[in-house]
Amino acid sequence: MAVVLKKDYQKALDEQKEEVRGLVMDGLERIKEGKTKDFNTVCDRLEKKYRNEAISN
């Protein structure tokens, strides 16, 4: 049973890492398009989203 839980946890972790990468790439694209002037703004938005998500889970 511990192996199954570990696999589920690893799968969830991998999916979350992929989602974060996608969000960062979207943020970089927004900067290139001139929609966001500061990368720190993008990072702050991501940090706020995941900090709130971690609390709600």
Side-chain angles (χ1 to χ4, degrees):
M1 185 166 169
V3 174
V4 172
L5 291 176
K6 186 175 180 180
K7 285 182 182 179
D8 288 345
Y9 175 77
Q10 188 61 47
K11 182 180 177 186
L13 187 61
D14 291 343
E15 288 172 357
Q16 194 172 43
K17 285 180 183 180
E18 187 175 326
E19 181 182 359
V20 169
R21 283 187 200 110
L23 291 170
V24 169
M25 295 307 293
D26 289 345
L28 289 171
E29 191 62 35
R30 290 177 66 89
I31 290 170
K32 288 178 186 176
E33 294 171 355
K35 294 181 181 176
T36 302
K37 302 292 183 197
D38 185 12
F39 189 68
N40 287 331
T41 303
V42 174
C43 293
D44 289 344
R45 202 175 317 132
L46 287 171
E47 183 178 359
K48 182 179 178 183
K49 176 184 177 183
Y50 280 97
R51 190 170 291 192
N52 290 341
E53 185 174 305
I55 292 170
S56 66
N57 289 335

